[in-house]
Amino acid sequence: MSHIIAPSLLAADFTRLQQELQMFEESEAQWLHLDVMDGVFVPNISFGANIISQLRPLSKKIFDVHLMIENPSHYIPSFAKSGADIISFHAEATNHVHRTIYQIKDLGLKAGVALNPHTPISLIENVLEDVDLVVLMSVNPGFGGQKFIYNTLQKIKVLQEIKNERNLTFDIEIDGGVGLQNAEKILQAGATVLVAGSSVFKSETPKETIQRLKQVGLGNLNF
Ligand code: DX5
Ligand code: ZN
């Protein structure tokens, strides 16, 4: 199966959100990645559920909400209401990872767990049967436009091995510093979803960039 491209709205031009959403809608990207930051879990503040619910009518595609916030379980109901299809929270942000996964699933959504670059896969080994998505951060969360941390490739391989051994089907999403220069290596390691912020929205031809990211690994790269 071909991989999923999830442009991250964080890198979009917020004075032209409607046009950015239209570009996304017309593109081959399947998910819109929405980065929620609280200024506590990460050293930056982005946007919340109110913005997401205003964007919801502009797209029929999957809204992939990435919560970089403390106390995620307190806010999950409002993000579910805002029209999220997938909600991911950080394993480092709660003592109750299993409970939080089922809080999301009980609201009828897909549940993801995210890990910071330094956090080992072993932290979530006992919930891999329960998740729909694992988000591996390939930059320190908080900002777009950072450099890909190459050690992430090793983490993807570790996760992919466990996934194969146990015959699991969760998606592996790589978030941060992803673009045409490293997409192939990331996919070869086992990723199934590529988040692309700056590489898409800062590109002069975002739709074409998305198309190229989708073609990576299909053997018909034409650039
Ligand atoms: C970082 C966010 C990422 C970010 C990716 O905290 O979680 O989703 O927007 O942006 P780029 O692709 O520019 O690294
Ligand atoms: Zn993200």
Side-chain angles (χ1 to χ4, degrees):
M1 247 211 17
S2 123
H3 52 279
I4 289 163
I5 307 297
S8 166
L9 196 74
L10 196 64
D13 179 348
F14 276 63
T15 64
R16 307 172 51 252
L17 272 187
Q18 194 164 2
Q19 291 99 308
E20 300 281 51
L21 260 283
Q22 196 181 334
M23 179 287 293
F24 162 70
E25 208 53 15
E26 291 166 1
S27 78
E28 291 180 34
Q30 302 98 316
W31 296 2
L32 185 69
H33 187 81
L34 295 148
D35 287 306
V36 176
M37 303 177 181
D38 66 354
V40 182
F41 182 74
V42 287
N44 196 12
I45 299 176
S46 60
F47 50 82
N50 180 38
I51 300 278
I52 296 175
S53 44
Q54 292 190 49
L55 296 174
R56 185 64 276 189
L58 303 179
S59 172
K60 293 190 172 64
K61 296 185 182 182
I62 301 287
F63 274 19
D64 168 35
V65 173
H66 176 196
L67 298 181
M68 285 161 276
I69 63 174
E70 291 289 342
N71 195 8
S73 66
H74 183 78
Y75 299 96
I76 282 166
S78 66
F79 284 98
K81 238 196 231 151
S82 76
D85 298 287
I86 307 167
I87 296 182
S88 301
F89 63 96
H90 272 262
E92 303 91 348
T94 173
N95 289 324
H96 301 286
V97 171
H98 182 274
R99 179 191 292 161
T100 309
I101 290 168
Y102 281 93
Q103 182 189 8
I104 298 169
K105 287 187 156 186
D106 289 346
L107 288 162
L109 277 66
K110 304 257 189 233
V113 176
L115 297 181
N116 282 335
H118 75 277
T119 307
I121 299 292
S122 58
L123 187 72
I124 55 164
E125 235 181 275
N126 294 327
V127 293
L128 290 176
E129 270 77 8
D130 305 292
V131 290
D132 300 294
L133 175 71
V134 175
V135 184
L136 296 183
M137 293 307 303
S138 40
V139 297
N140 285 298
F143 304 92
Q146 302 181 80
K147 252 179 67 192
F148 183 83
I149 298 171
Y150 268 88
N151 182 46
T152 312
L153 293 177
Q154 200 41 46
K155 272 174 87 175
I156 305 172
K157 286 179 194 157
V158 170
L159 184 59
Q160 169 71 5
E161 251 168 51
I162 303 176
K163 185 177 158 181
N164 282 347
E165 263 167 31
R166 301 197 202 162
N167 225 346
L168 298 173
T169 56
F170 59 79
D171 275 302
I172 301 178
E173 177 176 83
I174 306 308
D175 188 6
V178 177
L180 284 164
Q181 72 289 356
N182 54 18
E184 184 148 26
K185 278 204 175 79
I186 297 168
L187 291 169
Q188 274 168 0
T192 58
V193 186
L194 301 179
V195 174
S198 316
S199 62
V200 165
F201 285 104
K202 307 287 188 218
S203 145
E204 281 183 13
T205 52
K207 252 186 264 178
E208 285 74 11
T209 304
I210 290 170
Q211 192 180 21
R212 284 174 164 198
L213 282 168
K214 269 208 88 174
Q215 285 171 352
V216 173
L218 296 179
N220 54 351
L221 276 181
N222 49 0
F223 60 93

